Amino acid sequence: MRTRPADSADYVVVGAGSAGSIVASRLAASGASVIVLEAGGTDRRPDVAMAIGMASIYRRANWLYPCTPDPSKNGFTDTFAAGRIVGGSGSINAMVYVRGRAEDYDAWADSGCIGWSFNDVLPHFRAVEDWEGGADEYRGTGGPIAVSWCGHRHEINDAFISAATEAGFAFNPDHNGASQLGASRSQVNQRRGLRCSSARGYLRDTGADAPRLRARTQAVKIEFTGTRATSVLCSNGARIVAGQAVVLCAGAIGTPAILLRSGVGPSGSVVDVPAVGENFQDHLVALDTWRSKVPTSNTLGPRELLQATATLITRGDGALTAVPFEAELFTEDHQIGICPMHFTTDKSSGRTTFERIDGFTVSTVLLNPSGRGRVRLDGDRPRVEFERLAHPDDSRRLLDGWSMSRELIRSQPAMRSVADAPFINDCDGIDWLRANEVSIAHAVGTCRMGTDDGAVVDPELRVVGTESLRVVDASVMPTLPSGNTNAPTMMLAHRGAEILSRGA
């Protein structure tokens, strides 16, 4: 690779995704000079802003990281989604806003991650958000990330919440408040029905303090003097020198890949960190589709689309703000989300297909799976090794959740007027699961935070055995939070920027 003359800044932030956008913005606001390296293109496009554009942006701005064949799913070869665009996965995801549970973060602290208990991270959750329900001891207002109730009101969503309460579950007025358990409408990071990612909330609004954003420049490897990270070499030959630190925010697949390419990992040429790329975790999801007795988004005609467009423009809600989880039920083990639409996605190409048949989708998420995988390099490219259904306890618990969701829809009176039959009839449970379990791209854990020999970063997010090198993204999470991972990633970035700003 031909090297170009070096550029420099106090901080070089690798990745302008959900974490990197916040880290770069907050460091710049503190007075530091910052260069952000981002391999993807601009997020200033309508298919990013509008929920209806998710199908397009998921296909066009996606790393689609390759996976090895999965023996637990009959050798199926998958790809793993991650946003390749300014805003990262926060620019292509479903915008479902879930913090997780206090117990998730208290468990991090109990495992040695001092400073990451729920009481420690709650102020950062509150600082990030501008919650339409108003501030209280759990929720924040005035932050850069707008959080609202899902703007698509549909009778299937209302019926699902009623069915859950008929079955004995509580109605929860705010699952990001005092308790997560129970049924409610979903919360989304949207402002007047349009996506409010961390790139839009932070990078665009820093004015004169805005970091220098180098789009379409992929970080290839970190360069070291001894064990001190001094610069980043990019795919276009540029060398970016870091005066204070290199901060990796490339996600749970991209970040370990950069470390491994840079000689930081098992038997690494710079430093031996055996756990780099290990501890890969992802939520397991049973995706079930049902025929509907009432019209759904699948059969919207020209008149309905025109009305939906007018509603989005004038009120910021309606059918064009729809997301894959519009109402949710949280139990101890599961998150069950419902969407009045059915679709299929080709995981190899990212292409989504919508049939013109009224239907709805039920996603049963296993919140705390036991299975673990890893990220390794195949040449210079990362590859995910993860047998999704290999752990028998995970398969059993996911099937239990799927059975519960089917029983709720079949048996509760509230669903009878809207639900017909499932598109796929009952079969042997594990066979059904092998065919219908999917990823919704919640990868974490591959640069685990901790104080033991298996940690990659310490609680101050420093890569062990190195100097001037930090990781601030979902890869440092020791375990999965109970729910969608974007809100926890933004919280982590907010706190990580604070740690960096004080020079810890």
Side-chain angles (χ1 to χ4, degrees):
M1 179 185 299
R2 188 174 182 178
T3 303
R4 294 162 49 184
D7 201 348
S8 64
D10 294 330
Y11 293 95
V12 179
V13 177
V14 179
S18 294
S21 295
I22 295 175
V23 170
S25 174
R26 296 202 73 211
L27 288 174
S30 73
S33 59
V34 183
I35 291 177
V36 185
L37 306 177
E38 171 54 50
T42 180
D43 65 334
R44 294 176 182 265
R45 40 191 290 182
D47 54 355
V48 171
M50 297 178 63
I52 197 173
M54 276 187 286
S56 167
I57 197 67
Y58 186 89
R59 177 168 59 91
R60 296 175 183 272
N62 195 334
W63 283 101
L64 292 174
Y65 289 115
C67 302
T68 57
D70 185 350
S72 73
K73 298 181 73 173
N74 298 321
F76 177 68
T77 301
D78 206 346
T79 58
F80 204 94
R84 186 173 185 171
I85 188 171
V86 173
S89 294
S91 286
I92 72 170
N93 70 0
M95 297 171 281
V96 179
Y97 191 87
V98 178
R99 289 178 172 183
R101 301 175 187 172
E103 300 93 318
D104 299 331
Y105 306 103
D106 289 342
W108 291 6
D110 290 344
S111 71
C113 300
I114 303 303
W116 292 92
S117 71
F118 181 68
N119 286 338
D120 293 318
V121 303
L122 179 58
H124 299 279
F125 274 120
R126 296 181 74 244
V128 163
E129 70 183 14
D130 186 15
W131 165 230
E132 73 170 8
D136 60 26
E137 62 179 309
Y138 295 101
R139 306 306 302 267
T141 57
I145 304 299
V147 183
S148 61
W149 294 109
C150 176
H152 185 211
R153 299 300 299 262
H154 194 280
E155 58 192 300
I156 288 178
N157 301 332
D158 295 336
F160 178 78
I161 294 171
S162 296
T165 59
E166 287 172 352
F169 297 101
F171 173 76
N172 190 337
D174 182 4
H175 59 254
N176 288 312
S179 172
Q180 187 187 70
L181 298 179
S184 66
R185 290 168 61 199
S186 295
Q187 296 176 22
V188 293
N189 50 292
Q190 293 179 353
R191 178 176 281 114
R192 287 193 56 81
L194 300 179
R195 182 185 298 272
C196 186
S197 67
S198 59
R200 291 178 173 235
Y202 280 85
L203 281 183
R204 290 192 180 180
D205 297 327
T206 50
D209 294 323
R212 297 154 67 189
L213 179 63
R214 301 298 178 87
R216 301 183 184 277
T217 301
Q218 182 178 356
V220 175
K221 63 182 293 187
I222 304 161
E223 298 179 310
F224 291 84
T225 299
T227 57
R228 180 183 177 86
T230 55
S231 59
V232 178
L233 188 62
C234 302
S235 59
N236 64 357
R239 174 177 284 114
I240 314 297
V241 176
Q244 293 193 41
V246 173
V247 187
L248 293 180
C249 304
I253 300 173
T255 286
I258 293 170
L259 288 174
L260 292 168
R261 283 197 296 264
S262 305
V264 179
S267 303
S269 59
V270 174
V271 61
D272 180 15
V273 187
V276 171
E278 297 293 330
N279 194 47
F280 178 94
Q281 298 164 58
D282 185 27
H283 286 128
L284 307 182
V285 186
L287 200 65
D288 209 0
T289 53
W290 292 70
R291 296 181 185 274
S292 171
K293 294 180 180 179
V294 297
T296 66
S297 297
N298 290 84
T299 56
L300 290 177
R303 173 184 287 184
E304 291 86 358
L305 286 172
L306 186 62
Q307 291 173 338
T309 302
T311 300
L312 174 62
I313 293 170
T314 58
R315 298 205 315 251
D317 60 16
L320 296 188
T321 68
V323 295
F325 289 19
E326 297 191 3
E328 297 176 277
L329 169 63
F330 286 94
T331 71
E332 290 291 347
D333 279 346
H334 302 99
Q335 173 188 14
I336 301 173
I338 196 163
C339 170
M341 179 189 303
H342 78 98
F343 53 88
T344 57
T345 300
D346 185 306
K347 295 302 294 294
S348 297
S349 67
R351 184 182 297 277
T352 300
T353 302
F354 301 90
E355 291 185 81
R356 288 194 62 80
I357 302 173
D358 288 316
F360 61 93
T361 302
V362 182
S363 302
T364 301
V365 183
L366 182 63
L367 292 174
N368 303 118
S370 300
R372 299 291 185 267
R374 61 195 55 82
V375 172
R376 288 286 181 261
L377 292 182
D378 182 5
D380 281 338
R381 295 191 64 197
R383 187 177 296 272
V384 178
E385 301 174 1
F386 186 36
E387 296 185 32
R388 300 185 63 84
L389 301 177
H391 198 290
D393 190 51
D394 288 348
S395 298
R396 177 187 58 79
R397 290 191 295 145
L398 185 55
L399 282 171
D400 287 347
W402 167 63
S403 298
M404 179 183 67
S405 71
R406 280 207 164 185
E407 182 62 22
L408 186 148
I409 291 168
R410 281 188 172 128
S411 65
Q412 298 305 320
M415 293 298 295
R416 289 175 187 163
S417 63
V418 298
D420 200 338
F423 279 95
I424 301 174
N425 292 322
D426 288 344
C427 62
D428 179 72
I430 191 61
D431 288 338
W432 184 94
L433 199 58
R434 290 189 183 110
N436 294 283
E437 193 280 324
V438 300
S439 171
I440 51 175
H442 290 172
V444 308
T446 50
C447 296
R448 178 174 68 81
M449 173 171 51
T451 55
D452 60 296
D453 291 341
V456 175
V457 302
D458 67 15
E460 301 295 318
L461 306 178
R462 297 172 291 216
V463 177
V464 299
T466 71
E467 303 164 77
S468 302
L469 179 59
R470 309 273 186 142
V471 176
V472 188
D473 61 26
S475 69
V476 308
M477 296 182 187
T479 52
L480 277 161
S482 299
N484 306 66
T485 51
N486 196 48
T489 299
M490 291 191 284
M491 171 279 294
L492 190 150
H494 192 275
R495 186 169 190 279
E498 179 183 89
I499 291 171
L500 284 160
S501 294
R502 70 172 187 247

